[in-house]
């Protein structure tokens, strides 16, 4: 499709706002309304033989454009673990590692590379809008979508999402950040009311969005299913208009999560611009609300303006995607690099790793379907497995789309067993499925090294029952470790898990959901062809009793006091059935103390702290210097004191003056440093003023508290050998 040339608003020298206004002047009311909603649930489920929906790559993510005015269709796709709506038309897409892997790399440049790869694949398939990057905070580690998010710190999550989306925007796509906001658990997501203070919200969950939007210029924000302090996320004037549009200065549009629009007038006037994928609220009802004056013509034009100006600003009008075959090999490279940089070495007793390929004689590979593939996360971000799922699901599951959506365990065809065999051609490598701990232990006993692959399924639409490894895998690991002191556990999990066996195994590698090149990446790390460098983007607690919410809160059973709510858009909500129950509240009383800030403030020991990760060498820190200006410039020296090359992710934390009432430490910056054996390098981290500020509810503004700060530098949130005072005056 060639770019339209013949409209007055085709003039690229005009601003996106001016171009949008010119189009609006030509539009009828029906055309305006058409841009504000999806096809409707009935149309989605009906076969399409004619009409605009036949142009849709995926009807679930489609809004027809206005050809007579040169306004393109919006073709949207999820893109958290790769392009997931590609499967709608049977197209191949690279299955990337989960977002948690990307976050563990702490590498903004890698995030940019990921964004470029995703953006190119979207264009290759004809999509012009990404449904983005998920950056909800990990307040509830049992959240089934932890794997789609980027950890528990707003600076880390916001910065990485910012780079990913900046790269996609540079390829002329509309980009999106989600799920706005405080959608920090998934069970009961459409009936849960997240109760949280303004200050906690602004400094944590919303701060992540603020950073991502500032850094990327993303054109869309997806509002979430849940209520926030009593009002649905998609009709919440505080979050959508006061904060997002006014305070953040966001000029793009707000799109509802799928089926999350609960009203017409309230939602439109609160700041929602597009209902997806239905039309129950923003189709005919919105037209009527405009005609009756409940939604003003000015607000209607603002909604349309936001969409059109984003279309011009992103480049989707001037440079529409030209479908072509994807560069599969490049996708592999990015997937592998992400899996390698994102894996976190959690334990390595007696330098058990890396394995020596030329001397190891026998290896037992156990469990996790490691003979055929690696597991991935479920739900809307699920990338169709190339070549099909090598671990066929039970028939009963596959037949029901709603349960399948959550419960299907999909593996990608990248078998760790093969990667290990290739690295150690002289060794005897045997596989045991791990279903019978005794048989696995027998194989481990007769092998020099045992590698257990332990997998955890997690998905959108549900939370984990607990943080324990499912399916008797703890017992499997215990049995194998008892049989072989050289036992290494490779975890493929959505987030943090408990490890009752941690003292009994020699090594632990957290590989997250490692994607289509998981096998190569894991083998490279285990055999030392690549050194591990990832650091945890979230805390691994010792026990669920230590969590801010030891008991997970879900929807109560319906009864006279807790009736089932009446929700708008009933047919569509079948798809969200997993979220329906009586309304309930989750009190985020931990407030500012998200993740490590909680464990630090409560002085709780943890299994592995935020920011933690080992490698095959060691580092020392020295020479901290700080110069203050508007914020602070922090410099220090890191030395590689071991015998192998390594990459250190050096982290900078700040303690604010006591009067600020903040948790003990907050991450304010970091840098990645590559070091040869014996090499030292000086690193400099700039800490912007906003990283040191607090949100003052009384004045509704940010303030830099006066007084004494302590800047700390080191290898994790709990290993900060350098510290220096810093003062700011009133
Ligand atoms: C998810 C969103 C996703 C949308 C479209 C919803 O179920 O919550 O993250 O973008 O579906 O697939």
């Amino acid at each position: 499709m060639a770019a339209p040339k013949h409209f007055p608003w085709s003039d690229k020298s005009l601003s996106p706002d001016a171009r949008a206004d010119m189009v609006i002047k030509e539009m009828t009311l029906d055309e305006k309304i058409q841009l504000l909603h999806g096809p409707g649930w009935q149309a989605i489920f009906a076969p399409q033989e004619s009409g605009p929906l036949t142009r849709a790559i995926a009807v679930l993510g489609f809004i027809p454009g206005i050809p007579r005015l040169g306004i393109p269709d919006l073709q949207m796709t999820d893109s958290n673990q790769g392009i997931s709506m590609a499967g709608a038309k049977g197209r191949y897409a690279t299955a990337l590692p989960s977002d948690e892997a990307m976050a563990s790399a702490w590498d903004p440049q890698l995030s940019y590379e990921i964004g470029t790869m995703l953006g190119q694949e979207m264009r290759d398939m004809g999509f012009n809008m990404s449904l983005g990057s998920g950056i909800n905070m990990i307040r509830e580690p049992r959240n089934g979508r932890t794997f789609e998010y980027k950890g528990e710190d707003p600076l880390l999550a916001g910065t990485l999402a910012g780079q990913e989306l900046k790269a996609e925007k540079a390829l002329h796509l509309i980009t999106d950040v989600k799920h706005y906001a405080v959608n920090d658990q998934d069970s009961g997501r459409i009936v849960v009311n997240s109760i949280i203070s303004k200050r906690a919200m602004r400094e944590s969950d919303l701060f992540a969005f603020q950073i991502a939007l500032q850094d990327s210029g993303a054109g869309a924000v997806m509002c979430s299913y849940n209520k926030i302090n009593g009002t649905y996320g998609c009709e919440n004037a505080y979050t959508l208009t006061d904060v997002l549009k006014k305070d953040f200065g966001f000029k793009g549009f707000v799109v509802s999560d799928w089926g999350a629009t609960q009203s017409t007038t309230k939602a439109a006037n609160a700041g929602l611009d597009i209902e997806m994928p239905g039309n129950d609220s923003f189709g005919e009802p919105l037209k009527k609300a405009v005609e009756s004056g409940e939604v003003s013509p000015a607000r209607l034009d603002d909604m349309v303006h936001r969409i059109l100006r984003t279309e011009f600003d992103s480049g989707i009008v001037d440079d529409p995607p030209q479908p072509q075959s994807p560069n599969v090999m490049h996708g592999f490279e990015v997937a592998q690099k992400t899996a390698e940089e994102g894996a976190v070495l959690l334990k390595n007793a007696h330098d058990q790793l890396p394995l020596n390929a030329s001397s190891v004689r026998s290896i037992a590979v156990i469990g996790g379907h490691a003979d055929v593939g690696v597991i991935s996360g479920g739900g809307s971000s699920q990338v169709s497995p190339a070549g099909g799922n090598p671990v066929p699901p039970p028939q009963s599951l596959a037949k029901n789309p709603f349960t399948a959506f959550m419960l299907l365990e999909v593996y990608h065809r990248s078998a760790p067993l093969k990667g290990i065999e290739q690295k150690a051609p002289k060794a005897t490598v045997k596989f045991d499925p791990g279903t019978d701990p005794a048989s696995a232990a027998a194989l481990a006993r007769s092998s020099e090294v045992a590698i257990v692959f332990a997998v955890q399924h997690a998905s959108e639409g549900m939370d984990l029952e607990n943080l324990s490894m499912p399916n008797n895998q703890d017992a499997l690991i215990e049995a194998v470790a008892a049989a072989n002191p050289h036992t290494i556990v490779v975890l493929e999990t959505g987030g943090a898990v408990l490890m009752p066996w941690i003292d009994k195994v020699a090594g632990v590698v957290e590989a997250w959901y490692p994607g289509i090149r998981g096998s190569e990446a894991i083998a490279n790390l285990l055999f030392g062809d690549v050194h591990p460098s990832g650091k945890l983007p979230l805390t691994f607690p010792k026990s669920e009793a230590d969590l801010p919410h030891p008991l997970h809160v879900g929807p109560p059973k319906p009864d006279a006091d807790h009736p089932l709510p009446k929700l708008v858009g009933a047919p569509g909500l079948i798809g969200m059935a997993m979220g329906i129950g009586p309304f309930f509240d989750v009190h985020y009383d931990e407030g500012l103390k998200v993740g490590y800030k909680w464990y630090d403030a409560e002085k709780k020991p943890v299994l592995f702290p935020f920011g933690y990760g080992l490698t095959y060498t060691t580092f020392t820190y020295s020479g901290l210097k700080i110069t203050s200006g508007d914020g602070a410039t922090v410099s220090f020296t890191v030395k590689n004191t071991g015998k192998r090359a390594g990459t250190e992710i050096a982290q900078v934390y700040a303690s604010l003056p006591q009067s600020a009432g903040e948790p003990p430490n907050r991450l304010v910056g970091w840098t990645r440093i590559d070091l040869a054996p014996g090499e030292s390098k000086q690193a400099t981290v700039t800490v912007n003023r906003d990283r040191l500020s607090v949100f003052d509810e009384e004045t509704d503004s940010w303030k830099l508290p006066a007084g004494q700060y302590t800047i700390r530098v080191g290898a994790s949130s709990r290993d900060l050998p350098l510290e220096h005072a810093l003062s700011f005056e009133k």
Side-chain angles (χ1 to χ4, degrees):
M1 198 182 25
K5 294 258 173 339
H6 50 285
F7 301 103
W9 47 87
S10 302
D11 180 353
K12 291 189 213 166
S13 69
L14 298 171
S15 72
D17 292 303
R19 297 172 76 181
D21 285 339
M22 291 165 88
V23 181
I24 290 176
K25 287 209 180 89
E26 304 296 321
M27 291 172 81
T28 64
L29 175 59
D30 284 332
E31 284 170 336
K32 290 178 184 176
I33 299 287
Q34 180 191 320
L35 294 187
L36 306 180
H37 60 80
W41 293 99
Q42 263 175 331
I44 287 168
F45 292 115
Q48 303 299 326
E49 270 145 32
S50 60
L53 292 197
T54 53
R55 301 197 300 265
I57 306 171
V59 265
L60 255 184
F62 184 73
I63 299 181
I66 305 170
R68 83 170 183 95
L69 300 173
I71 299 306
D73 299 333
L74 281 185
Q75 304 267 15
M76 313 174 188
T77 177
D78 286 305
S79 57
N80 272 52
Q81 305 177 90
I83 314 303
S84 59
M85 292 207 192
K89 288 237 164 140
R91 295 286 303 266
Y92 169 86
T94 301
L96 276 178
S98 60
D99 275 73
E100 218 62 83
M102 164 171 153
S104 301
W106 297 57
D107 187 351
Q109 224 177 313
L110 173 68
S111 297
Y112 195 91
E113 276 177 55
I114 292 171
T116 303
M117 185 235 109
L118 286 170
Q120 193 55 54
E121 281 197 9
M122 277 181 243
R123 288 186 65 92
D124 293 347
M125 293 172 206
F127 291 109
N128 58 10
M129 175 167 171
S130 130
L131 295 175
S133 206
I135 50 170
N136 291 81
M137 289 288 95
I138 311 302
R139 285 180 181 273
E140 170 48 82
R142 287 158 297 209
N143 183 352
R145 298 189 90 169
T146 300
F147 73 92
E148 287 190 65
Y149 301 141
K150 297 173 189 67
E152 63 192 25
D153 183 85
L155 179 61
L156 181 65
T159 304
L160 300 179
Q163 290 308 305
E164 180 190 2
L165 299 181
K166 187 175 172 187
E168 290 177 11
K169 188 175 178 199
L171 289 175
H172 298 157
L173 294 159
I174 297 181
T175 58
D176 163 73
V177 205
K178 68 189 183 187
H179 307 88
Y180 191 77
V182 208
N183 182 187
D184 296 345
Q185 71 169 51
D186 234 44
S187 67
R189 61 187 181 177
I190 210 157
V191 283
V192 64
N193 179 22
S194 302
I195 299 183
I196 184 167
S197 78
K198 271 190 188 172
R199 176 172 173 188
M201 200 170 8
R202 295 299 300 264
E203 290 187 30
S204 57
D205 299 55
L206 298 193
F207 193 44
F209 281 87
Q210 188 169 3
I211 296 169
L213 289 168
Q214 267 165 9
D215 289 358
S216 68
V221 166
M222 185 187 290
C223 54
S224 56
Y225 289 109
N226 54 296
K227 292 184 179 184
I228 308 159
N229 294 328
T231 306
Y232 271 115
C234 291
E235 54 187 38
N236 194 309
Y238 174 70
T239 51
L240 298 182
T241 296
D242 298 352
V243 178
L244 177 67
K245 292 184 175 174
K246 291 194 179 144
D247 255 27
F248 296 177
F250 174 66
K251 291 193 167 135
F253 59 88
V254 176
V255 56
S256 76
D257 200 342
W258 270 225
T261 309
Q262 297 296 340
S263 60
T264 301
T265 304
K266 186 173 179 189
N269 289 338
L272 176 65
D273 300 303
I274 294 185
E275 171 187 16
M276 276 304 280
N279 55 13
D280 302 288
S281 302
F282 277 23
E284 273 307 301
L286 181 61
K287 187 177 170 188
K288 287 206 181 95
V290 171
E291 283 165 346
S292 70
E294 283 170 50
V295 173
S296 69
R299 172 64 187 125
L300 176 74
D301 283 356
D302 173 50
M303 295 160 90
V304 177
H305 179 96
R306 285 173 173 278
I307 295 160
L308 293 175
R309 70 96 53 206
T310 303
E311 295 191 1
F312 289 117
D313 178 55
S314 61
I316 70 161
V317 181
D318 302 320
D319 180 23
Q322 309 291 335
Q324 58 179 353
S325 304
N327 184 341
V328 177
M329 295 316 286
H330 179 63
F332 280 179
E333 276 168 33
V334 177
Q336 184 168 333
K337 188 170 174 193
T338 309
E340 288 172 350
E341 276 197 30
V344 186
L345 178 62
L346 294 174
K347 180 169 181 184
N348 192 16
H350 316 300
D351 292 336
Q352 176 71 58
L353 293 171
L355 298 173
N356 187 331
S358 47
S359 66
V360 63
R361 291 179 316 273
S362 56
I363 306 175
V365 176
I366 294 163
H369 299 287
D371 55 333
V372 289
V374 290
I375 197 168
S376 56
S380 57
S381 68
Q382 179 76 66
V383 173
S384 303
N389 188 352
V391 182
Q395 276 301 308
S396 53
L397 253 191
K399 271 190 211 141
N400 179 336
F402 300 121
T403 48
F405 180 75
M406 294 184 288
L407 300 178
L408 263 193
E409 298 191 6
V410 175
Y411 284 72
H412 293 300
R413 291 177 181 266
S414 178
L417 176 66
K418 298 229 169 68
I420 292 167
E421 281 170 346
Q422 277 163 10
K423 286 283 173 199
K426 289 196 217 126
T428 310
V429 182
K430 287 196 180 144
F431 179 72
D432 181 284
T435 36
D436 170 15
S439 115
L443 176 63
R445 199 168 295 115
S446 64
S447 309
E448 193 181 324
V449 176
I451 308 176
V452 184
F453 285 81
V455 298
Q456 176 202 51
H457 170 70
S459 171
E460 174 184 345
M462 62 182 209
D463 290 341
L464 299 165
E465 264 172 42
N466 52 52
L467 293 180
S468 297
M469 289 303 289
N471 303 326
N472 212 25
Q473 292 177 100
D474 284 337
L476 171 70
I477 296 168
E478 299 263 0
V480 172
N484 188 325
H486 307 290
T487 294
I488 294 149
V489 178
V490 178
L491 293 167
E492 294 171 25
T493 69
V497 289
L498 303 178
M499 303 181 200
W501 34 260
I502 187 67
D503 295 332
K504 298 175 189 156
V505 301
V508 181
V509 177
E510 173 57 88
W512 311 109
Y513 296 146
I516 192 61
R517 295 288 273 190
S519 161
E520 289 79 357
I522 291 168
N524 277 343
L525 290 160
L526 292 177
F527 287 87
D529 295 299
V530 168
H531 52 255
S533 59
K535 301 246 182 170
L536 292 179
L538 77 184
T539 309
F540 277 48
K542 269 188 181 298
S543 116
E544 282 175 59
D546 293 336
L547 300 179
H549 305 265
L551 290 179
H552 181 273
V553 188
K557 285 221 164 67
D559 60 24
D561 296 332
H562 303 98
L564 280 173
K566 287 200 182 75
L567 298 168
V568 173
L573 289 172
I574 297 168
M576 308 301 151
M578 55 272 189
I580 295 182
F583 286 116
F584 68 106
D585 294 341
V586 172
H587 293 264
Y588 288 113
D589 293 334
E590 76 281 3
L592 297 168
K593 295 183 272 176
V594 185
Y596 63 96
K597 295 171 185 160
W598 165 260
Y599 301 99
D600 286 352
E602 302 293 314
K603 300 198 172 46
K604 284 182 193 284
V606 297
L607 182 58
F608 296 111
F610 175 80
Y612 172 86
L614 302 170
T615 185
Y616 298 146
T617 186
T618 45
F619 304 102
T620 55
Y621 284 74
S622 62
L624 175 61
K625 286 195 199 77
I626 298 184
T627 43
S628 62
D630 195 27
T633 306
V634 179
S635 58
F636 50 92
T637 300
V638 183
K639 180 171 188 196
N640 180 345
T641 49
K643 295 200 180 72
R644 289 173 163 268
T647 302
E648 174 67 329
I649 298 169
Q651 299 153 46
V652 182
Y653 293 80
S655 302
L656 271 63
Q658 236 177 2
S659 59
E662 288 285 310
N665 262 338
R666 61 158 81 157
L667 179 74
V668 292
W670 72 91
T671 182
R672 288 172 56 91
I673 313 160
D674 295 322
L675 291 166
E679 191 184 10
S680 293
K681 272 187 196 160
Q682 204 194 35
T684 302
V685 175
T686 307
V687 179
N688 295 338
R689 189 187 173 90
D690 64 350
R691 312 291 187 249
L692 300 169
S693 301
V694 300
F695 187 77
D696 178 26
E697 285 193 9
E698 249 163 60
T699 55
D700 218 25
S701 63
W702 291 87
K703 293 216 158 69
L704 186 76
Q708 183 161 320
Y709 292 64
T710 307
I711 300 292
R712 297 196 170 84
V713 177
S716 85
S717 64
R718 292 238 168 142
D719 177 11
L720 298 168
L722 307 182
E723 67 172 66
H724 203 293
L726 169 71
S727 292
F728 288 101
E729 313 213 326
K730 271 224 161 111

